[in-house]
Amino acid sequence: MIDKVIVGSEEWCSLPNLKVPAIKVRVDSGAKTSALHAEQITPFDKNGETWVRFVIHPIQRNVKSTISCEAKVIDKRIVKSSTGTRESRYVINTEISLGEKSWLIELTLTNRDSMGFRMLLGREAMTGKLIVDPDERFKFGVVTPEKIKEYYNTNSNDKHGLRIGVLASNPELYSNKRIIEAGEQRGHEMHFLNIKHCYMKLDAHQPEIHYRGGRILNDFDAIIPRIRPSMTYYGCSLIRHFESLKVFSLNNATSITQSRDKLYSLQMLLNHGVDIPTTGFANSPLDTNDLINMVGGSPLIVKLLEGTQGKGVVLAETKKAAESVINAFKSVGANILVQEFIKEANGKDLRLFVVDGKVVAAMQREALPGEFRANIHLGGKASIVKVTAEEKKIAIKAAKAMNLKVAGVDIIRSAKGPLLLEVNSSPGLEGIEGATGKDIAGEMIKAIEKSFKWLNL
């Protein structure tokens, strides 16, 4: 008669053949097959037999502990997972050590990123050897964090740097590519995270952010949000969830949400003593006449509150034109701002780029002939400009008022001094880096390093 060993529902074991000194395993007699988390699974031929190469991250939510493995394939079979999906998996034989007991088991290789354990021990591997006591855990002891660090050298000053995600929509956009490039140049592990591919698990005990395919994103050190206006609600919801998981966000969700509300952001800026062009806001078309007079009459600017990159901004040159534009917007339920037109600016404005409380670059934007909007996306021309101390002060004060670590602050020069137009929480890099030659993406990475007291050697 074979003596069976009593084990708990969770145990620490080792896989000597795969050079895995410690891995936490879920012991589940309800599952037939045993499974191991594996990535980059690649079959190859060895002496006329099929083998596989694969990579293991044996510690959950730690991609820095990596073991490269090779094993002979003994089968390839369809396995039905706990979620009901069917998957074709490679099967290998390997030795498992649990306490003082060691034996050969079959293991299927699959991605278990979305699971709580890197390894599952099923009943086929337990038959005749183990009895599971579901009320018990770690009958053979717990592997301490100190031991884990010793096994996997996770406490060394590795060169991988921080794990940083760029949370955005378009990986080919200049700004996103530059940020990833700058982070990698400074020794960090950079990842592009498509907002639409992220989804959340709200749970009091185990909250998570998942990525398409089941990958869990909880192990990031920091994220850099690059949220397009149309994705503000969902993007900021994701950022809040990252923040609840103690992942640092270069611009936080509250600040981005505030900056996207043009009226509220102007009210905040005024409360912090920042001058803006005279601006009006009304709900009823019956107030149109007084609204126009309030901002000094025509010509004037009409702005959609939801507009961006110069879209939804109209110059009304006469009072009649202003009335028509305002009433047209009101008739479709659009929220608009009415703002005085600064004629002496002559189609020019300033973009000051603020990172971590400092102006790191500035450019002048000049509108195309016949156009009053100087936005680069609308064909505006960018050039180097020397900004005054007062303009720098306004930009820094504006970013601070909005609590933004990264901000594109737009200022217009008027007869009564510099006036703030807008604060952008996801400012583009292409125009200003091209005009100034400054490594602004690098400055953004440095701001993250500073928050972690990270020394880049």
Side-chain angles (χ1 to χ4, degrees), residues 441-457:
E443 295 295 330
M444 293 169 67
I445 301 298
K446 288 178 187 177
I448 294 176
E449 293 172 353
K450 184 179 175 183
S451 72
F452 283 87
K453 296 182 172 60
W454 180 272
L455 295 176
N456 188 278
L457 303 176

Side-chain angles (χ1 to χ4, degrees), residues 144-425:
T144 64
E146 290 73 26
K147 264 296 183 190
I148 290 295
K149 288 178 180 179
E150 181 185 324
Y151 286 149
Y152 297 112
N153 201 27
T154 58
N155 63 335
S156 65
N157 293 322
D158 57 66
K159 297 180 181 179
H160 294 294
L162 300 169
R163 185 170 167 82
I164 302 172
V166 177
L167 188 65
S169 300
N170 183 0
E172 299 305 314
L173 200 66
Y174 174 92
S175 300
N176 299 332
K177 290 167 75 172
R178 275 288 297 121
I179 291 168
I180 289 173
E181 178 186 80
E184 289 175 344
Q185 285 176 347
R186 294 186 64 80
H188 302 296
E189 185 183 326
M190 303 296 296
H191 296 261
F192 181 84
L193 304 176
N194 191 313
I195 295 170
K196 292 182 179 180
H197 295 178
C198 298
Y199 49 103
M200 294 167 274
K201 174 189 174 186
L202 282 74
D203 182 272
H205 305 290
Q206 197 176 7
E208 293 171 341
I209 291 186
H210 288 229
Y211 202 66
R212 184 168 291 175
R215 176 181 163 203
I216 297 177
L217 304 179
N218 294 30
D219 58 349
F220 277 82
D221 296 303
I223 56 168
I224 300 174
R226 304 286 302 173
I227 311 297
R228 61 173 55 173
S230 62
M231 293 297 292
T232 299
Y233 180 80
Y234 190 68
C236 287
S237 299
L238 285 171
I239 296 167
R240 279 193 296 273
H241 210 58
F242 271 115
E243 290 170 339
S244 73
L245 295 168
K246 308 303 179 189
V247 177
F248 174 77
S249 181
L250 189 53
N251 276 341
N252 65 52
T254 301
S255 301
I256 295 171
T257 302
Q258 289 173 169
S259 73
R260 292 286 162 83
D261 185 331
K262 289 186 179 179
L263 179 62
Y264 181 44
S265 63
L266 289 178
Q267 290 171 322
M268 287 183 68
L269 292 164
L270 287 171
N271 288 336
H272 283 80
V274 179
D275 288 333
I276 66 170
T278 303
T279 303
F281 178 72
N283 180 258
S284 171
L286 297 175
D287 301 312
T288 297
N289 189 56
D290 191 39
L291 193 63
I292 292 170
N293 293 333
M294 186 191 297
V295 299
S298 60
L300 55 78
I301 303 294
V302 182
K303 288 184 177 182
L304 272 174
L305 284 184
E306 293 79 21
T308 181
Q309 295 179 349
K311 298 168 187 173
V313 181
V314 178
L315 170 63
E317 299 194 43
T318 66
K319 185 176 180 181
K320 188 174 181 180
E323 289 173 346
S324 298
V325 171
I326 293 169
N327 292 334
F329 277 133
K330 288 294 181 188
S331 69
V332 294
N335 287 313
I336 58 167
L337 293 176
V338 176
Q339 200 168 68
E340 70 170 312
F341 176 61
I342 309 299
K343 186 177 181 180
E344 61 269 26
N346 199 26
K348 297 176 184 177
D349 69 14
L350 307 176
R351 162 62 63 89
L352 281 71
F353 209 107
V354 180
V355 179
D356 205 17
K358 296 179 182 177
V359 175
V360 297
M363 67 175 174
Q364 178 176 270
R365 302 183 299 186
E366 184 173 359
L368 290 170
E371 173 63 73
F372 72 98
R373 296 166 297 179
N375 302 70
I376 301 298
H377 288 86
L378 298 176
K381 179 183 174 184
S383 59
I384 298 174
V385 66
K386 185 173 177 60
V387 293
T388 66
E390 185 181 4
E391 289 161 348
K392 283 186 179 181
K393 185 178 177 182
I394 289 172
I396 292 167
K397 186 187 283 190
K400 187 176 180 181
M402 303 299 295
N403 194 29
L404 291 168
K405 279 192 171 290
V406 173
V409 181
D410 296 340
I411 292 174
I412 196 165
R413 288 171 169 169
S414 77
K416 51 188 174 183
L419 301 173
L420 188 136
L421 292 176
E422 193 173 350
V423 180
N424 191 323
S425 59

Side-chain angles (χ1 to χ4, degrees), residues 18-22 54-58 64-69 152:
L18 301 178
K19 297 182 173 58
V20 177
F54 53 97
V55 170
I56 305 173
H57 301 302
K64 293 180 181 177
S65 55
T66 301
I67 298 174
S68 298
C69 306
Y152 297 112

